[in-house]
Amino acid sequence: MGAERRVVVLISGRGSNLGALLEARLPLQVVAVISHRAEAEGLGLALARGIPTRVIPAGAYAGRTDFDRALQQAIDDFTPDLVVLAGFMRILTPEFVAHYEGRLLNIHPSLLPAFPGLHTHRRALAEGVAVHGCTVHFVTSELDRGPIVAQGVVPVWAEDDEASLAARVLHMEHRLFPHVLRGWAENRWVLGADGRVRWRDDSQEQNLRLLWAGASR
């Protein structure tokens, strides 16, 4: 198949999604993990596996534009094919997003387009939804509205609180993100000219079987 595709992962905290990607032994190469926080625990996960890390401290720059330029330079030093936001808690400038158009993926803890932004689990409970979940999507200049690659669905139980629902969704994130990146590395889905993602062969049926959490509590 030739050289493995190169991925840079951006994180802000503990790096649980990064850990899930690394544990999945995907047919790709994570060439760097970058954070805006030196104390991000996920950096340790990368270092333990010999993956280069970089810290671009947001406080060292006058504003979002300057920070994003520095972040872009750090990313481009590793010449990635894809940039993955795995719990990267910063809003990116339109210039940064345009630079990585079609190469920038994010995982969001809701079934987009429902509940973009923050506090998704609290809002889902307040609305009384029967199902909740997570979405892997391309990043565009419009917050949490880029083309959807795949979604993972979990039930919402009457006894749920914000913490229990968040834990169930996070477990699904750890299934969904590796599934999507494996599909990307194996050319099983493509972003079309119409801005929609299409899975090839029977992959969509496989998605439905894999990414429905059933009735487990």
PDB file of all heavy atoms in Angstrom, residues 15-30:
ATOM      1  N   GLY A  15      -6.165  13.278  27.053  1.00  0.00           N
ATOM      2  CA  GLY A  15      -5.818  12.515  25.862  1.00  0.00           C
ATOM      3  C   GLY A  15      -6.446  11.137  25.798  1.00  0.00           C
ATOM      4  O   GLY A  15      -5.856  10.212  25.246  1.00  0.00           O
ATOM      5  N   SER A  16      -7.695  10.987  26.303  1.00  0.00           N
ATOM      6  CA  SER A  16      -8.305   9.658  26.278  1.00  0.00           C
ATOM      7  C   SER A  16      -8.608   9.208  24.855  1.00  0.00           C
ATOM      8  O   SER A  16      -8.456   8.027  24.523  1.00  0.00           O
ATOM      9  CB  SER A  16      -9.574   9.630  27.138  1.00  0.00           C
ATOM     10  OG  SER A  16     -10.617  10.382  26.549  1.00  0.00           O
ATOM     11  N   ASN A  17      -9.026  10.116  23.984  1.00  0.00           N
ATOM     12  CA  ASN A  17      -9.246   9.738  22.591  1.00  0.00           C
ATOM     13  C   ASN A  17      -7.925   9.441  21.891  1.00  0.00           C
ATOM     14  O   ASN A  17      -7.851   8.532  21.057  1.00  0.00           O
ATOM     15  CB  ASN A  17     -10.018  10.826  21.849  1.00  0.00           C
ATOM     16  CG  ASN A  17     -11.514  10.620  21.916  1.00  0.00           C
ATOM     17  OD1 ASN A  17     -12.023   9.562  21.563  1.00  0.00           O
ATOM     18  ND2 ASN A  17     -12.232  11.631  22.376  1.00  0.00           N
ATOM     19  N   LEU A  18      -6.894  10.184  22.213  1.00  0.00           N
ATOM     20  CA  LEU A  18      -5.566   9.863  21.692  1.00  0.00           C
ATOM     21  C   LEU A  18      -5.174   8.458  22.110  1.00  0.00           C
ATOM     22  O   LEU A  18      -4.682   7.669  21.296  1.00  0.00           O
ATOM     23  CB  LEU A  18      -4.543  10.878  22.206  1.00  0.00           C
ATOM     24  CG  LEU A  18      -3.072  10.517  21.972  1.00  0.00           C
ATOM     25  CD1 LEU A  18      -2.745  10.492  20.487  1.00  0.00           C
ATOM     26  CD2 LEU A  18      -2.160  11.493  22.718  1.00  0.00           C
ATOM     27  N   GLY A  19      -5.393   8.126  23.373  1.00  0.00           N
ATOM     28  CA  GLY A  19      -5.066   6.789  23.857  1.00  0.00           C
ATOM     29  C   GLY A  19      -5.810   5.711  23.098  1.00  0.00           C
ATOM     30  O   GLY A  19      -5.241   4.669  22.758  1.00  0.00           O
ATOM     31  N   ALA A  20      -7.103   5.967  22.810  1.00  0.00           N
ATOM     32  CA  ALA A  20      -7.896   4.992  22.056  1.00  0.00           C
ATOM     33  C   ALA A  20      -7.345   4.810  20.645  1.00  0.00           C
ATOM     34  O   ALA A  20      -7.295   3.688  20.125  1.00  0.00           O
ATOM     35  CB  ALA A  20      -9.352   5.436  22.007  1.00  0.00           C
ATOM     36  N   LEU A  21      -6.908   5.902  20.022  1.00  0.00           N
ATOM     37  CA  LEU A  21      -6.331   5.806  18.681  1.00  0.00           C
ATOM     38  C   LEU A  21      -5.038   5.002  18.699  1.00  0.00           C
ATOM     39  O   LEU A  21      -4.794   4.166  17.819  1.00  0.00           O
ATOM     40  CB  LEU A  21      -6.067   7.202  18.124  1.00  0.00           C
ATOM     41  CG  LEU A  21      -7.289   8.087  17.860  1.00  0.00           C
ATOM     42  CD1 LEU A  21      -6.854   9.468  17.393  1.00  0.00           C
ATOM     43  CD2 LEU A  21      -8.218   7.446  16.841  1.00  0.00           C
ATOM     44  N   LEU A  22      -4.213   5.228  19.702  1.00  0.00           N
ATOM     45  CA  LEU A  22      -2.941   4.518  19.772  1.00  0.00           C
ATOM     46  C   LEU A  22      -3.148   3.044  20.089  1.00  0.00           C
ATOM     47  O   LEU A  22      -2.462   2.174  19.528  1.00  0.00           O
ATOM     48  CB  LEU A  22      -2.040   5.170  20.817  1.00  0.00           C
ATOM     49  CG  LEU A  22      -1.624   6.621  20.531  1.00  0.00           C
ATOM     50  CD1 LEU A  22      -0.805   7.187  21.683  1.00  0.00           C
ATOM     51  CD2 LEU A  22      -0.853   6.729  19.225  1.00  0.00           C
ATOM     52  N   GLU A  23      -4.096   2.739  20.955  1.00  0.00           N
ATOM     53  CA  GLU A  23      -4.363   1.345  21.315  1.00  0.00           C
ATOM     54  C   GLU A  23      -4.942   0.553  20.139  1.00  0.00           C
ATOM     55  O   GLU A  23      -4.802  -0.669  20.073  1.00  0.00           O
ATOM     56  CB  GLU A  23      -5.320   1.283  22.508  1.00  0.00           C
ATOM     57  CG  GLU A  23      -4.724   1.717  23.826  1.00  0.00           C
ATOM     58  CD  GLU A  23      -3.611   0.786  24.298  1.00  0.00           C
ATOM     59  OE1 GLU A  23      -3.700  -0.429  24.015  1.00  0.00           O
ATOM     60  OE2 GLU A  23      -2.659   1.270  24.934  1.00  0.00           O
ATOM     61  N   ALA A  24      -5.593   1.248  19.212  1.00  0.00           N
ATOM     62  CA  ALA A  24      -6.248   0.569  18.091  1.00  0.00           C
ATOM     63  C   ALA A  24      -5.262   0.052  17.045  1.00  0.00           C
ATOM     64  O   ALA A  24      -5.654  -0.716  16.166  1.00  0.00           O
ATOM     65  CB  ALA A  24      -7.248   1.513  17.427  1.00  0.00           C
ATOM     66  N   ARG A  25      -4.004   0.454  17.127  1.00  0.00           N
ATOM     67  CA  ARG A  25      -2.968  -0.004  16.175  1.00  0.00           C
ATOM     68  C   ARG A  25      -3.439   0.181  14.730  1.00  0.00           C
ATOM     69  O   ARG A  25      -3.508  -0.760  13.939  1.00  0.00           O
ATOM     70  CB  ARG A  25      -2.593  -1.460  16.451  1.00  0.00           C
ATOM     71  CG  ARG A  25      -2.052  -1.683  17.847  1.00  0.00           C
ATOM     72  CD  ARG A  25      -1.584  -3.103  18.051  1.00  0.00           C
ATOM     73  NE  ARG A  25      -1.102  -3.309  19.401  1.00  0.00           N
ATOM     74  CZ  ARG A  25       0.124  -3.019  19.833  1.00  0.00           C
ATOM     75  NH1 ARG A  25       1.003  -2.492  18.987  1.00  0.00           N
ATOM     76  NH2 ARG A  25       0.465  -3.236  21.089  1.00  0.00           N
ATOM     77  N   LEU A  26      -3.750   1.397  14.404  1.00  0.00           N
ATOM     78  CA  LEU A  26      -4.295   1.728  13.095  1.00  0.00           C
ATOM     79  C   LEU A  26      -3.208   1.709  12.023  1.00  0.00           C
ATOM     80  O   LEU A  26      -2.023   1.925  12.323  1.00  0.00           O
ATOM     81  CB  LEU A  26      -4.940   3.113  13.154  1.00  0.00           C
ATOM     82  CG  LEU A  26      -6.076   3.267  14.166  1.00  0.00           C
ATOM     83  CD1 LEU A  26      -6.479   4.731  14.302  1.00  0.00           C
ATOM     84  CD2 LEU A  26      -7.270   2.422  13.764  1.00  0.00           C
ATOM     85  N   PRO A  27      -3.589   1.495  10.771  1.00  0.00           N
ATOM     86  CA  PRO A  27      -2.612   1.481   9.675  1.00  0.00           C
ATOM     87  C   PRO A  27      -2.246   2.894   9.222  1.00  0.00           C
ATOM     88  O   PRO A  27      -2.440   3.276   8.067  1.00  0.00           O
ATOM     89  CB  PRO A  27      -3.348   0.703   8.575  1.00  0.00           C
ATOM     90  CG  PRO A  27      -4.784   1.010   8.807  1.00  0.00           C
ATOM     91  CD  PRO A  27      -4.939   1.105  10.304  1.00  0.00           C
ATOM     92  N   LEU A  28      -1.744   3.660  10.149  1.00  0.00           N
ATOM     93  CA  LEU A  28      -1.311   5.029   9.901  1.00  0.00           C
ATOM     94  C   LEU A  28      -0.222   5.358  10.914  1.00  0.00           C
ATOM     95  O   LEU A  28       0.008   4.606  11.863  1.00  0.00           O
ATOM     96  CB  LEU A  28      -2.492   6.004   9.990  1.00  0.00           C
ATOM     97  CG  LEU A  28      -3.353   5.969  11.259  1.00  0.00           C
ATOM     98  CD1 LEU A  28      -2.741   6.730  12.433  1.00  0.00           C
ATOM     99  CD2 LEU A  28      -4.745   6.506  10.962  1.00  0.00           C
ATOM    100  N   GLN A  29       0.423   6.495  10.713  1.00  0.00           N
ATOM    101  CA  GLN A  29       1.514   6.898  11.612  1.00  0.00           C
ATOM    102  C   GLN A  29       1.157   8.208  12.293  1.00  0.00           C
ATOM    103  O   GLN A  29       0.961   9.228  11.622  1.00  0.00           O
ATOM    104  CB  GLN A  29       2.826   7.061  10.834  1.00  0.00           C
ATOM    105  CG  GLN A  29       4.019   7.404  11.723  1.00  0.00           C
ATOM    106  CD  GLN A  29       5.294   7.586  10.932  1.00  0.00           C
ATOM    107  OE1 GLN A  29       5.269   7.581   9.698  1.00  0.00           O
ATOM    108  NE2 GLN A  29       6.404   7.760  11.616  1.00  0.00           N
ATOM    109  N   VAL A  30       1.037   8.184  13.624  1.00  0.00           N
ATOM    110  CA  VAL A  30       0.896   9.427  14.384  1.00  0.00           C
ATOM    111  C   VAL A  30       2.293  10.018  14.515  1.00  0.00           C
ATOM    112  O   VAL A  30       3.138   9.497  15.238  1.00  0.00           O
ATOM    113  CB  VAL A  30       0.269   9.183  15.769  1.00  0.00           C
ATOM    114  CG1 VAL A  30       0.204  10.494  16.558  1.00  0.00           C
ATOM    115  CG2 VAL A  30      -1.140   8.590  15.621  1.00  0.00           C
TER     116      VAL A  30
END
